[in-house]
Amino acid sequence: MMRLRFDEQLQRLNYEMILMGSLIERAIETAGELIETRDMEKAGKLKEGDSEIDRKEREIETMCLRLILMQQPVASDLRIISAALKMITDMERIADQASDIAEILTMPHEGERLPFPPHMQQMATATAKMVRQAIDAYVARDHVLARKVMADDDIVDELFDKVKLDILEMLNQACLVGSTVDGVQLLDMLMIAKYFERSADHAVNIAEWVEYALTGRYKGERLS
């Protein structure tokens, strides 16, 4: 009877994790869409939604701690619960990065808006894909997909380097024709790219904790 109750609570934890995962997927995807649309209304809603994700993190954390303290789970169950505790921190930070991107895009600005660097949208798309697949790996308990997410971080890192070169090229072109360029906008673009790069890193962290939950190995080392 106790095990049945515990299994029901684990299922509830899984459901809440999937729900939080869907929220952060949508957040980072929306941040990517804003690069193309600059939709101020959508950006505002993205910032507002961050508090819902923060609340969900607290709810899952409480649920995990209750399971550990009250149910005394066996090793395999404890790995799943411990991984969930670690994952929600990275999930919440992805939501924060998406909100920070929206914050930059909604700041008041005078003068003409500069176009985003050519590789920025590719970077946003690649990051959103990593986040989505990290969550999918958790839902499906898919070790192979988790490893793919880890490998795909190199793609985002390469695109980040290309975005930095794009920004330098925009600055060089302005200098060549003797025109001024809005340095604040260029810095904002660099910050947005950095937020995507950090989100990809958090997706890798999620994938690593998925691997731990499934195998007991974290970053190649056996922890249990």
Side-chain angles (χ1 to χ4, degrees):
M1 190 67 180
M2 288 291 292
R3 181 66 208 188
L4 179 61
R5 174 62 177 161
F6 181 72
D7 287 342
E8 289 174 351
Q9 292 175 326
L10 277 182
Q11 285 296 321
R12 178 62 189 277
L13 172 61
N14 189 57
Y15 172 79
E16 295 297 332
M17 290 288 291
I18 292 170
L19 182 57
M20 184 176 179
S22 69
L23 292 173
I24 68 157
E25 281 182 51
R26 186 57 195 149
I28 198 66
E29 287 171 357
T30 299
E33 292 167 6
L34 292 175
I35 300 302
E36 188 171 340
T37 66
R38 296 184 188 265
D39 186 327
M40 295 298 103
E41 181 179 355
K42 187 175 288 188
K45 289 180 180 178
L46 175 54
K47 289 193 294 180
E48 292 170 5
D50 190 42
S51 59
E52 181 182 0
I53 294 172
D54 289 343
R55 184 168 57 254
K56 183 62 64 180
E57 180 194 22
R58 292 191 296 271
E59 290 174 358
I60 293 174
E61 183 178 43
T62 299
M63 189 180 304
C64 288
L65 292 175
R66 282 177 178 169
L67 282 169
I68 292 172
L69 294 173
M70 299 176 68
Q71 299 295 342
Q72 297 181 332
V74 297
S76 58
D77 294 329
L78 184 59
R79 284 205 310 268
I80 292 173
I81 299 167
S82 301
L85 273 171
K86 295 292 187 178
M87 287 169 61
I88 58 174
T89 300
D90 286 293
M91 291 162 73
E92 188 273 336
R93 287 176 181 169
I94 290 171
D96 284 346
Q97 310 295 347
S99 181
D100 288 337
I101 291 169
E103 179 71 30
I104 290 175
L105 292 173
T106 53
M107 287 191 296
H109 178 265
E110 295 182 2
E112 182 180 357
R113 291 275 188 183
L114 295 175
F116 278 104
H119 291 94
M120 182 75 85
Q121 189 62 60
Q122 288 178 253
M123 187 180 183
T125 300
T127 300
K129 180 181 177 182
M130 284 182 65
V131 172
R132 183 172 62 253
Q133 290 187 335
I135 301 303
D136 287 348
Y138 172 80
V139 173
R141 302 294 196 263
D142 189 333
H143 178 223
V144 174
L145 185 57
R147 297 294 299 179
K148 181 180 183 301
V149 173
M150 298 176 209
D152 284 351
D153 189 44
D154 289 342
I155 296 173
V156 173
D157 287 343
E158 289 173 8
L159 286 167
F160 183 41
D161 289 338
K162 289 179 180 179
V163 168
K164 289 187 286 186
L165 291 175
D166 289 340
I167 292 172
L168 284 174
E169 181 61 22
M170 293 167 70
L171 184 59
N172 288 335
Q173 287 299 319
C175 292
L176 285 174
V177 298
S179 64
T180 59
V181 64
D182 189 340
V184 172
Q185 284 195 65
L186 295 181
L187 286 174
D188 284 347
M189 291 175 186
L190 183 59
M191 283 303 303
I192 288 172
K194 186 62 180 176
Y195 288 139
F196 281 122
E197 188 265 343
R198 287 177 180 171
S199 293
D201 287 343
H202 289 304
V204 169
N205 291 345
I206 292 170
E208 288 173 341
W209 285 114
V210 170
E211 183 178 48
Y212 167 71
L214 297 175
T215 68
R217 302 187 72 86
Y218 179 70
K219 295 183 183 292
E221 296 183 8
R222 180 162 291 281
L223 300 186
S224 64

